[in-house]
């Protein structure tokens, strides 16, 4: 990935095994989010991948605290 000014992001050469999953919808959706995303936001413990000003975010990642 490459991050530039103003929270811009570009992912390239995203690799995946694309095997051993009975339903590929989740993996396909996640790979599409990485391909389509052009910016990101961080609010609290959440990272969101976005495209332009499209709402909702393409993908959200939340920090999980484990003890």
């Amino acid at each position: 990935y490459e991050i530039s000014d103003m929270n811009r992001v570009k992912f390239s050469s995203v690799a995946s095994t694309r095997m051993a999953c009975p339903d590929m919808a989740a993996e396909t959706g996640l790979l599409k989010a990485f391909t389509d995303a052009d910016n990101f936001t961080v609010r609290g413990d959440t990272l969101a991948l976005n495209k332009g000003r499209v709402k909702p975010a393409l993908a959200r990642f939340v920090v999980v605290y484990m003890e």
Side-chain angles (χ1 to χ4, degrees):
Y1 64 93
E2 179 182 328
I3 296 175
S4 60
D5 296 340
M6 303 298 292
N7 292 4
R8 306 292 291 173
V9 66
K10 179 180 179 181
F11 294 91
S12 59
S13 301
V14 177
S16 169
T17 60
R18 295 182 104 19
M19 56 190 290
C21 297
D23 178 9
M24 296 299 294
E27 184 173 2
T28 299
L30 182 59
L31 291 174
K32 182 165 175 35
F34 283 125
T35 302
D36 292 351
D38 63 7
N39 71 86
F40 67 93
T41 54
V42 177
R43 288 196 178 94
D45 60 0
T46 303
L47 165 69
L49 296 180
N50 313 300
K51 178 166 179 75
R53 295 178 183 255
V54 175
K55 306 278 186 198
L58 299 172
R60 284 193 181 92
F61 303 91
V62 179
V63 174
V64 176
Y65 300 96
M66 301 182 75
E67 294 181 21

